[in-house]
Amino acid sequence: MVNPPAFLPWSILFLPLAAFLIITFLTRKSKPLSAAVAIGALALSLCSTAALLIHILRCHEPANAAFTFTVPWVDLPGLFLEFGLLVNPLAILMSLVVTGVGLMIFIYSVGYMSHEPGFARYFAFLSLFAFSMLGIVLANNFVTLFIFWELVGASSYLLIGYWYDRPRAADAGKKAFLVNRIADFGFLLGILMLWSVSGVHGEPRTLNFLMLDSVSAHIRDQFSGAGLFSPLSLIALLLFCGVVGKSAQFPLHVWLPDAMEGPTPVSALIHAATMVAAGVYLLCRIFFLLEVFNIPQVLGLIAWIGGFTALFAASMALVENDIKRVLAYSTLSQLGYMVMALGMGGYAAGMFHLTTHAFFKAMLFMGAGCVIHSLHTNDIWQMGGLRWTMPVTTTLFAIGSLALCGIFPFAGFWSKDEILALAFDSHRILWFIGTLTACLTAFYMGRVFCVAFLGEPRSREHHSHEAPAIMLWPLIPLAILSIIGGFIGIPSLLDNPTGAHVEFNLTVALISNLAAVGGLLLAWAIYVKGFQPVQWLQNLLAPATRLLIRKYFVDEVYGWINRNVQQRTAVVLNLFERYVIIGLWANGIAKTTGLTGSALRRMQTGKVQNYALALLIGLSLLIYASWRWVP
Amino acid sequence: MILHSYLALSGILFTIGLVGVVTRRNIIMILLSLEILLSAANLAFVAFSQALGDLSGQIMVFFVMIVAAAEVTVGLAIAVVLVRQHGKSNADDLRDLRW
Amino acid sequence: MLKLPFLDRPMSHPFFFYMLSTLMIASALGVILNRNPVYAVLMLVSTLFALSGLFVLLGAYFVAAIQVIIYAGAILVLFLFVVMLLDMEPETLLKIKGSTLRVTGLIFGLFFLWQFLRAARAMTPFSTAGNMRVAGTTAAIGKQLFTTYALPFEVASGLLLVGIIGAVVLAKKKIP
């Protein structure tokens, strides 16, 4: 197969960076110019991605296409680091998602953020984020990936804390960054461990994905033992740590709901469609390692964490009143689905769900943004009756909700069904958890829709009006994709012969649809028709509701750990530093030198005869030594 | 062996000179003991010169004597100045260069 | 050249060797033990005379001569002049203060002597019980001085010049 022209992948990556630099240094004063630069750069990146897609589709075997473009960075014997891009169908798909959905969100932001003073700063940071995210997508080795991984974390921090004068936003940014830091520590350890075992048969050690692919079987053969703490399992677990942080799986999920303090388009782009999906994307990128390494326990653990997160997050969404936070928990839940799919070996299923999720979740967030923009409140109990005042937004939100619930024939049904079918065949319990979560998903989305969009306006002060056109037009392509996304053949693009192949299972499809419809009906009954469950049922559920509202007290646990473990350790270490390291070592050495000097200076008596005596002593000892020790 | 007795003699003379340098209190006497040291070295040189059949040892003695002369001149001049300034010639009292 | 038969074999007359060495050591001990500075200088003169005799025994005639003329004759006379100029008193025997220094010096001096003698004994034995190998006559020394060692010879004269100038500058009294 023939290589595509080199400027295409490099332009995908560096055009947003150029936009960031131009906006920061040149066009900061001008709002329209900044927006134009950012949107233009991302549109050009999208065009490059499309060109690469066409190139790949025209290849002989599209699914196996892989093109590498690298720049050597460090070239020493024993250490070779490069800065490079790997273009294969997986990367192109993800890149299309990032640039396509991103472009829609950029255009939407022009309307949403039009009254903000920091407009140019916003677009600069968005472009920086696009650059970082595309770096993760296209990277061809772990080092480049990790650099961009951290950059994405930094961009997220900058964007969450966009309104930096609000303490809650600043705290949320810090929380996101710190939680990710913990995860990235494990990730880095995993990378280093992988590096150390990658030198087999005299080959140099490498972190390049393609080269690791070729030696992965040799690596596996080096290590016997497949328990949870064997070297290969540890490597996989540590690499998964990064996923837990970035994709907000339990127990590092706490940063995502608080990250809703940022502007809504940011939430749409970063915390729904792209950045949080980076963890899932990483798992796909290194899937060859996971399947070759013979680590069934780790894969099972990954699947269970995914499934647990899905149910856990969906349960917390049931009692949320902030529309953005409901969507955040929903994102957590769907990410759990994706991770669960990867853990069961469903490489194509996981990516499929990532893609469709990006479409409808971004649209849902932007729809919520339209509502927030016009009503200036996030609380669903202040909304109501938006169906009459904002019909377009209502329709789009409805489409997104149906896709999210997995109702046939929307896109979400196809991807979610593939995951559930995979679970049905291999892990029946996880299938049950997945179906239960689908039911809960339908219930809380129905709750939000009914309370916010149906019924009568609940509050006198907030008057709603339809969003401006510039905020509605970007949602149209996403809505179309949410409807037809199941039919455009995404799994076949990724056809991985060794990944789990899923046949369409009618039973699973019927059960999941029934569960979703049931959830929606229940929500409609409670929140529109005012159906009140029997009193004893309400009393029974009250403590559970409290638990959910307090988010299972996870934040309190973290706070306790921080106060009692981390702070106390810090005090001990402070004392250690002050008295041992500084007192004993640094000052000690200085004092010892001073004392030695004071002692030795008494040799300078000023009397010549003392010096002569010293000469005599030295001379006699020298002669003695020459007599004694020279053979 | 014969050379050894000359060397032993030189060693004894050298030791006497050293003890004199360390022990005497008067600076002029210290300089005097220094002369004994030099003489001991001269003796060793000449002894070796005879033993090895090389005249260089005696040439060396010649030059040692010249240097001793110059050194004594300057040393005594310094001693005179010191005694003039401090009024006493005790080596123990000349310790301005202490710590 | 004067040829004295008994001088052809330097060590075949141990009598002279032992006499001269005893004289020399006794005089040296006298130098360092004498309290009176004038007596000490005179003892040093005696030492140098004995040393000169030993030089003659070793066939270094020229060196023996200049030892007496220059060393004993000029340098020690200078010493005497300075002693008389400074008008020093005899030293007191032993004071409490500073005696540690002296005792240590004595001990280490003896230690040094012991080590020196052992080291000297370990040397490869030279047998010098034979004819005199080289005669240090004036002619021979002169030949060496003006050919091989001509440069040090000239430099030595410069050294003496420096010494003279230094001594004069140092010891001059300031004229008010």
Side-chain angles (χ1 to χ4, degrees), chain A residues 60-130:
Chain A
H60 180 59
E61 269 183 25
N64 291 341
F67 306 107
T68 304
F69 306 86
T70 76
V71 172
W73 180 19
V74 172
D75 192 359
L76 298 171
L79 178 68
F80 179 72
L81 299 177
E82 57 186 344
F83 181 83
L85 312 176
L86 172 64
V87 175
N88 63 8
L90 175 67
I92 289 298
L93 175 64
M94 189 71 188
S95 182
L96 276 174
V97 169
V98 172
T99 50
V101 176
L103 186 61
M104 297 300 119
I105 295 179
F106 273 40
I107 300 175
Y108 174 88
S109 306
V110 174
Y112 191 85
M113 308 288 288
S114 56
H115 300 300
E116 289 290 331
F119 190 81
R121 172 166 62 100
Y122 173 81
F123 273 100
F125 288 157
L126 269 189
S127 301
L128 180 66
F129 170 78

Side-chain angles (χ1 to χ4, degrees), chain A residues 46-394:
Chain A
L46 179 59
C47 295
S48 299
T49 314
L52 277 174
L53 175 67
I54 296 174
H55 185 95
I56 286 188
L57 287 175
R58 280 202 276 175
C59 280
H60 180 59
E61 269 183 25
N64 291 341
F67 306 107
T68 304
F69 306 86
T70 76
V71 172
W73 180 19
V74 172
D75 192 359
L76 298 171
L79 178 68
F80 179 72
L81 299 177
E82 57 186 344
F83 181 83
L85 312 176
L86 172 64
V87 175
N88 63 8
L90 175 67
I92 289 298
L93 175 64
M94 189 71 188
S95 182
L96 276 174
V97 169
V98 172
T99 50
V101 176
L103 186 61
M104 297 300 119
I105 295 179
F106 273 40
I107 300 175
Y108 174 88
S109 306
V110 174
Y112 191 85
M113 308 288 288
S114 56
H115 300 300
E116 289 290 331
F119 190 81
R121 172 166 62 100
Y122 173 81
F123 273 100
F125 288 157
L126 269 189
S127 301
L128 180 66
F129 170 78
F131 164 67
S132 321
M133 189 67 210
L134 288 167
I136 293 183
V137 169
L138 293 171
N140 83 331
N141 61 68
F142 272 107
V143 175
T144 313
L145 184 94
F146 191 73
I147 294 174
F148 284 111
W149 193 267
E150 296 293 324
L151 262 179
V152 161
S155 310
S156 165
Y157 166 77
L158 290 171
L159 283 166
I160 294 176
Y162 172 73
W163 287 303
Y164 49 80
D165 43 1
R166 287 190 206 168
R168 287 184 58 167
D171 287 342
K174 271 189 289 187
K175 187 172 181 180
F177 197 76
L178 286 174
V179 172
N180 265 291
R181 207 75 200 91
I182 300 172
D184 292 344
F185 177 62
F187 187 35
L188 189 58
L189 283 178
I191 294 179
L192 291 174
M193 272 187 78
L194 186 60
W195 157 261
S196 68
V197 304
S198 65
V200 293
H201 289 192
E203 295 282 325
R205 294 187 182 152
T206 176
L207 285 173
N208 186 313
F209 292 144
L210 291 179
M211 288 169 62
L212 280 173
D213 196 0
S214 59
V215 299
S216 53
H218 295 299
I219 298 177
R220 176 199 59 209
D221 295 333
Q222 299 242 315
F223 296 96
S224 60
L228 199 57
F229 294 105
S230 71
L232 297 180
S233 299
L234 273 179
I235 293 178
L237 275 175
L238 287 171
L239 291 176
F240 181 62
C241 257
V243 176
V244 169
K246 194 67 84 182
S247 293
Q249 303 295 299
F250 179 83
L252 293 177
H253 64 281
V254 290
W255 64 273
L256 192 52
D258 287 334
M260 297 298 120
E261 295 291 331
T264 309
V266 166
S267 305
L269 180 60
I270 299 186
H271 307 120
T274 45
M275 188 183 96
V276 292
V280 181
Y281 177 75
L282 173 73
L283 280 179
C284 290
R285 216 43 164 164
I286 62 170
F287 195 68
F288 59 90
L289 282 177
L290 297 175
E291 58 186 358
V292 169
F293 268 5
N294 188 24
I295 40 171
Q297 281 120 324
V298 175
L299 290 177
L301 182 65
I302 294 178
W304 272 96
I305 289 182
F308 178 74
T309 306
L311 189 57
F312 181 71
S315 65
M316 288 196 278
L318 294 174
V319 296
E320 265 300 333
N321 296 326
D322 181 333
I323 191 173
K324 281 179 68 174
R325 292 181 94 114
V326 172
L327 292 175
Y329 284 113
S330 167
T331 308
L332 275 176
S333 183
Q334 300 304 308
L335 287 171
Y337 269 109
M338 296 177 218
V339 171
M340 185 170 83
L342 263 294
M344 295 188 290
Y347 166 87
M351 272 311 289
F352 189 21
H353 197 58
L354 192 156
T355 314
T356 57
H357 174 260
F359 297 149
F360 53 71
K361 193 47 72 62
M363 190 172 69
L364 282 172
F365 261 108
M366 288 197 276
C370 292
V371 173
I372 296 171
H373 185 80
S374 78
L375 284 177
H376 300 290
T377 175
N378 289 11
D379 189 352
I380 57 174
W381 296 100
Q382 306 270 348
M383 306 172 191
L386 294 175
R387 180 170 142 212
W388 311 111
T389 50
M390 306 172 71
V392 182
T393 311
T394 313

Side-chain angles (χ1 to χ4, degrees), chain C residues 20-161:
Chain C
L20 284 171
S21 55
T22 314
L23 182 60
M24 190 175 73
I25 291 177
S27 309
L29 281 172
V31 170
I32 67 168
L33 291 177
N34 225 314
R35 299 290 122 204
N36 195 328
V38 178
Y39 291 167
V41 176
L42 290 176
M43 291 271 87
L44 185 58
V45 172
S46 161
T47 313
L48 292 177
F49 266 99
L51 191 58
S52 175
L54 280 172
F55 284 165
V56 169
L57 271 185
L58 283 171
Y61 308 123
F62 177 70
V63 174
I66 62 170
Q67 174 96 332
V68 172
I69 299 174
I70 295 176
Y71 223 123
I75 295 175
L76 290 188
V77 168
L78 179 60
F79 257 105
L80 263 177
F81 275 141
V82 171
V83 166
M84 288 188 289
L85 172 68
L86 292 181
D87 195 10
M88 295 182 295
E89 296 153 3
E91 268 176 54
T92 50
L93 190 51
L94 206 64
K95 280 199 244 175
I96 307 298
K97 181 175 173 186
S99 61
T100 324
L101 164 76
R102 272 99 202 170
V103 170
T104 318
L106 188 59
I107 294 174
F108 269 96
L110 291 172
F111 179 65
F112 168 77
L113 180 63
W114 174 40
Q115 295 306 315
F116 184 86
L117 290 176
R118 283 181 74 189
R121 189 174 304 208
M123 280 171 51
T124 318
F126 281 85
S127 133
T128 51
N131 277 337
M132 201 180 299
R133 305 237 175 124
V134 57
T137 54
T138 315
I141 300 260
K143 244 192 228 161
Q144 287 288 304
L145 263 183
F146 288 115
T147 52
T148 318
Y149 297 101
L151 180 60
F153 189 62
E154 304 300 328
V155 173
S157 58
L159 178 66
L160 285 172
L161 179 65

